[in-house]
Amino acid sequence: MTSPILEAGAGAMAEPVADIGRREQAKAERRQKIMAAARDMIRETGDMNLSMRELAKRAEVSVATSYNLFGSKRAVVMAVLEDERDFVQKYHKLNVSNAIDRIFEAYTLAYGYFVQDPDFYRPLWRALLTAGGKDDDTGLVSPERQAQTRAAWHMLLTSAQDEGLLKTDTSAEALERMLSHLAGGTLLSWSVGMLETDELLPSVGLGYALILAACATDKGRKRLDAKIATFREMLAKAQKA
């Protein structure tokens, strides 16, 4: 009969499962403390170039623990970003009847994070959009993240074409690139303080609607004209505030 104790190797007896569980729980708690400290430091300083020593001090753990749990300050920042974003779960709960509305609900959901917590997301996006050198330890760009984002938007745009809301003479890939360039430029302006937070969501929304309207069918154009009018009104109010 096999013992309920996990074997660590020949001649060695492993810890009881309960001990392993407690150790993993303690490790998870230390990870959360480090991420909370990083989140607070980014908000307070607006600086992504975190000091691992200061981070460990703020989290009340050793520097060695910070490196053991994450490996680098970039990994800490990435963990914080993923911890903040429950976008996928919220996206799958969206209840919309057509692909055009789904595009704008997804965009509103994504940009809602930035608008609600600009002190945190502005430095993150500043790092994301200005990272360049291979030794930059704070850059958030990765091929995997880019591929996931592009695939999601490609699916949204293809669905709009399949539903007869967007014409097919412009490929979904080309539309995705146009929307991505618009979003990147707007986010860069926002991240460096050239665009107010209240203007961010309507600026990108209006740009998206205008680009898609140029490729819309008659059925899709009616929906996009309504979006254009709404975002123009939102932007005018934000600029007057």
Side-chain angles (χ1 to χ4, degrees), residues 67-236:
Y67 278 108
N68 287 338
L69 292 175
F70 290 96
S72 70
K73 57 189 175 185
R74 180 183 185 278
V76 175
V77 171
M78 289 298 294
V80 171
L81 179 61
E82 293 301 330
D83 189 54
E84 289 281 318
R85 298 294 297 274
D86 53 354
F87 175 85
V88 174
Q89 292 85 346
K90 289 184 177 181
Y91 172 75
H92 286 302
K93 293 179 181 178
L94 292 177
N95 184 21
V96 290
S97 60
N98 65 84
I100 292 292
D101 286 345
R102 199 151 46 243
I103 287 171
F104 285 92
E105 286 293 328
Y107 132 81
T108 301
L109 176 59
Y111 280 75
Y113 290 93
F114 313 147
V115 172
Q116 292 165 16
D117 196 356
D119 291 340
F120 175 68
Y121 281 104
R122 254 186 169 138
L124 281 176
W125 276 99
R126 190 159 54 244
L128 177 112
L129 294 166
T130 60
K134 64 180 181 180
D135 296 326
D136 186 349
D137 196 32
T138 61
L140 303 180
V141 176
S142 71
E144 295 79 14
R145 177 176 291 276
Q146 290 177 333
Q148 289 170 0
T149 300
R150 286 172 179 164
W153 279 100
H154 183 272
M155 181 178 66
L156 287 167
L157 294 165
T158 300
S159 295
Q161 291 177 328
D162 291 343
E163 291 178 21
L165 298 168
L166 295 178
K167 298 175 183 176
T168 57
D169 54 356
T170 301
S171 70
E173 288 87 355
L175 281 174
E176 185 278 322
R177 285 195 297 272
M178 284 186 266
L179 296 179
S180 178
H181 294 326
L182 170 74
T186 310
L187 281 167
L188 180 59
S189 295
W190 173 70
S191 69
V192 299
M194 295 175 62
L195 187 71
E196 296 297 330
T197 296
D198 289 345
E199 298 175 67
L200 177 60
L201 193 148
S203 293
V204 178
L206 178 58
Y208 277 22
L210 289 170
I211 289 173
L212 295 177
C215 308
T217 62
D218 290 341
K219 183 169 67 170
R221 183 62 193 246
K222 291 179 181 179
R223 296 184 182 279
L224 287 163
D225 283 345
K227 302 288 184 188
I228 290 169
T230 297
F231 287 124
R232 278 179 172 160
E233 183 178 353
M234 289 175 60
L235 187 57

